[in-house]
Every structure is written in structure tokens, then in C-alpha cells.
Amino acid sequence: MTNQAGPYFDLQVERVIDETQDTRSFVLTIPQELEATFAYRAGQFLTFGVPLGDHHQVRCYSLASCPETESEHKVTVKRVDDGRVSNWFNENVEAGQALHVMKPAGHFCLADRETPLVFFGAGSGITPIASLIKAALATTGRRLHLLYANRDADSIIFATELDALAARYPDRFEVTHRLDDVDGFLDVPAARKVVVADPGADFYICGPGAFMDVAEAALAEASVAEEQIFIERFDTPDLDAAAAAPATGQATDVLRVYLDGEVHELSVQEDETILAACHRAGIDAPCACTEGYCGACMAKVKQGEVEMLLNDGGLDDDQVEEGWVLTCQTRVRSAGVQVDYPDAD
């Protein structure tokens, strides 16, 4: 029987794959009783709860595997500067270890049409894109072009897999590598050339913020319609900036927050979400997408009345019935509200 604590399930790491010097993939074992719970679409992600010291960190990592072509669940994690969780994954996680994982979520998925596909990926942003590429090649007749940016040739994640797909589908799949040490950083004119070559395509973007800004600027210059653009981004909140932000509304009653074994009491401003109030108070409440679909910020309401503005797949009906809310989308609506973030211990 699989252990479950709140929204987290214990999943065992089946094997670890060294992709590059700073990137590893982790294949998870899905017990038979959880196969339906962990069914996913290409492009979705898993949310992990990681106890680090006295704190419970939450991060979302995209599935690089593809449900149409592979039976396994594989996430890929690249080290980042000062990345507490990404470095922990790369330095500590081994085969046989149990990880605390939420069910798959996310909307960075293929639209149901037959237009060409253009992917802008950089670094570990290739992870969900690789899943989408495999799904599109296996289940559609769409033509695909990937522009993939990296520091150098040794930094290319899934290089062998991408080469094999390009060789298998030479008439449908083209890969353009952009290497910083050879080509320099991608700029808007270079990105725009890729866009205008396929103006009717669907465009998928995932990578570091500066890279995505360039791709988005190129799409805007080419007047590509919003419904043709799909973007995946996860940002770790800047708690120092949030704490320095001035309060703009009138304070409501005190909110009590249970997190990492501590109790915090804070005021919530009018029309401020619980998550925003926590960050303004310097409380490291977990979050990822902040748009109501990843589930990383979920907490259980223990007392009082709240209003959840949006639940875009982050919670299922049973979780809502049990009192779980997405704090990035939830506002206080009575005195004496208490919320409890789940532990992943």
C-alpha cells in the first residue's frame, strides 16, 4: 500500500540517469494502485515536496517521458546557482529512495490541431518540450522545428535522443542547435527568422527568463496570435522583494498560518491572497505557477471562511471537499481564518 500524506504520495526512484555534468533524470516507479492517479499528458509536470533542514520546499519538475511512447515517468533536474532543491536532487537522490510527489498537473500540452509546431527551448526547458515532441511525432502528422539553445555542446540535454528522433523522422522533425560559445546568445532578429518561416505554427517556449523574453518579443514583432503561443515558466518567489512591497489595502482580521511546524500570525490586506500575504510577511510559503494549476501552494483551511477564485486543475473535487485550497487564488472572507500547509516529512 502506498503511503500518502495530504496531497503527497511516496514514490520510489527506480533509477537515476546522468544526462550532462549538471543534469540528472529520475525515473519513478508508479504502483499499480496509483496508475490512474499518475496518468498524464505530454508536457505536464510533477510537484515534489522536499524537507530541507527545518523547511518544506516545493518544486515542480516537468516530465520528459511521453505517455504515448514510454511506460515510465521520468523527470529531469538541472543544477542552478543557489538552487536548494535542484542541487539536493542532483547530490542526494539515489535509486531506491522514496520521494514525496503530487499527481501530474499543467497545461503546457499540445493543442488538438494539425498546424506545424515550432519549439523554442533552452537548457532544462527542453524537458517538457521533449515530451511534446515525442507525442506529436507518434500521434500526429505535424511538422516540427526545435530551436534549442545551450551554453556549449556538452550542455545539450537529451542530445542522443533528439538526434535519433531527427534521423527517424527526417521529413517532419528539424533540430537547430544554438550554442552560446559558438553563436552567442539568441537575439530577437535570429528568433524572428524562425518565427516568420512558420507564421501559422503553434509556438511552444520554455527556458530561462531572458531566453523566453527574446522568443516572446520575436513572436510579438511577427504579430503571431495569442492562441498560437504556449509558454511554460516557473519562478521561485523573491521573498525579500515581496516583503518590501508596500501594503495597498486595508488590513482585515489576523490570519493564522501553520507551516514547517511553526505558527505565524499575520494581517491580510483587502483583496490580497493568502499566498501574497505570506510572502509580504517574509514567510516562505510554497508556490510555483501562482496561476491555480500546479497545486504547489495548496493548504487546508482549518477554521474560518475563505473564497478560492480559481482552481484550474490544481485540486480535484475530493480535495476541495476536504477543505484544501490553492493559496495563490484564495482570499480571506471571515475573522479567525487558519490554514495548514502540508508537511512532506
Side-chain angles (χ1 to χ4, degrees), residues 40-45 61-70 74-76 105 107-111 117-140 142-150 156-159 161-163 165-166 172-177 186 194 202-208 211-212 215 219 229-234:
Y40 70 101
R41 295 179 63 194
Q44 290 193 304
F45 58 83
Y61 293 114
S62 295
L63 287 149
S65 50
C66 169
E68 287 83 8
T69 62
E70 298 157 90
K74 180 178 75 174
V75 298
T76 303
H107 300 311
F108 191 63
C109 301
L110 294 174
L117 290 161
V118 175
F119 301 94
F120 284 95
S124 60
I126 191 63
T127 306
I129 287 175
S131 181
L132 293 172
I133 287 171
K134 288 180 280 190
L137 290 172
T139 65
T140 77
R142 303 171 81 169
R143 179 169 47 83
L144 289 67
H145 181 198
L146 166 65
L147 186 149
Y148 186 20
N150 283 284
I156 300 173
I157 304 170
F158 310 141
E161 185 174 16
L162 292 170
D163 287 345
L165 289 170
R172 292 181 52 205
F173 181 39
E174 176 187 0
V175 182
T176 300
H177 289 287
L186 182 71
V194 176
D202 282 349
F203 295 87
Y204 287 77
I205 308 170
C206 189
F211 172 85
M212 294 199 294
L219 291 164
I229 303 172
F230 303 83
I231 300 172
E232 184 78 309
R233 69 174 98 238
F234 293 108

Side-chain angles (χ1 to χ4, degrees), residues 182-301:
V182 175
D183 309 304
F185 295 122
L186 182 71
D187 57 19
V188 174
R192 192 175 187 279
K193 288 182 181 179
V194 176
V195 174
V196 298
D198 266 312
D202 282 349
F203 295 87
Y204 287 77
I205 308 170
C206 189
F211 172 85
M212 294 199 294
D213 289 344
V214 168
E216 289 183 75
L219 291 164
E221 282 193 5
S223 300
V224 175
E226 183 178 345
E227 59 266 22
Q228 295 172 244
I229 303 172
F230 303 83
I231 300 172
E232 184 78 309
R233 69 174 98 238
F234 293 108
D235 297 314
T236 301
D238 184 343
L239 294 184
D240 291 335
T248 58
Q250 302 218 344
T252 65
D253 295 283
V254 170
L255 166 70
R256 182 170 293 175
V257 174
Y258 294 81
L259 175 65
D260 293 332
E262 298 182 359
V263 181
H264 306 270
E265 291 189 349
L266 60 148
S267 63
V268 182
Q269 305 300 317
E270 186 177 3
D271 292 332
E272 185 177 41
T273 66
I274 291 173
L275 181 68
C278 288
H279 289 173
R280 182 172 52 77
I283 300 168
D284 191 5
C287 69
C289 76
T290 70
E291 295 179 358
Y293 66 79
C294 77
C297 69
M298 67 193 301
K300 181 174 282 190
V301 178

